[in-house]
Amino acid sequence: MGSSGEAGTLSASPGPPASALRVLPLTDRPGWQAAGEVSLLTRPAWEQALCHLARSDEETCHLELSAVTFVDVAGVSALAMTAQGLPQGRRIVLEEPPATLRRVLDLFWPDLLTVEVIGR
């Protein structure tokens, strides 16, 4: 991931394709690309990606979410808690998140300045 040199794939336990989540490091900027859904079954992979993101020393980390079909409230909460724990001056840019993720963030964390949403 980014300049830290971390690479690899994070994935949830195998299951039906509808309940899968695939998370890969971005190659052109610091952050991760996710595809699938964030739910009870896939939350460990989601939280692992958020942990990697939080440990990064990059000022801005990206989460490319255009291929994410669903994020449950606990997944949004994990994202918000990660963002709230970032050191001052750091932020997460959500690219093309599902509309429900954006609505839940706006509803429960309207003043979360460490998250920027672009697209959708």
Side-chain angles (χ1 to χ4, degrees), residues 35-116:
E37 68 176 40
V38 178
S39 64
L40 179 63
L41 294 175
T42 62
R43 197 162 314 112
W46 176 248
E47 290 177 351
Q48 187 177 6
L50 293 174
C51 237
H52 283 293
L53 188 144
R55 287 194 310 253
S56 165
D57 59 355
E58 301 287 346
E59 182 178 314
T60 302
C61 286
H62 299 261
L63 280 176
E64 203 289 314
L65 304 174
S66 63
V68 172
T69 57
F70 174 77
V71 180
D72 67 9
V73 173
V76 180
S77 179
L79 171 64
M81 299 310 273
T82 299
Q84 288 174 331
L86 291 175
Q88 187 168 359
R90 293 210 37 228
R91 68 190 178 118
I92 300 170
V93 175
L94 302 179
E95 301 174 11
E96 303 288 331
T100 54
L101 186 152
R102 187 177 203 156
R103 283 194 298 268
V104 172
L105 278 176
D106 289 345
L107 183 63
F108 292 105
W109 295 277
D111 299 322
L112 190 57
L113 301 177
T114 53
V115 173
E116 177 185 348

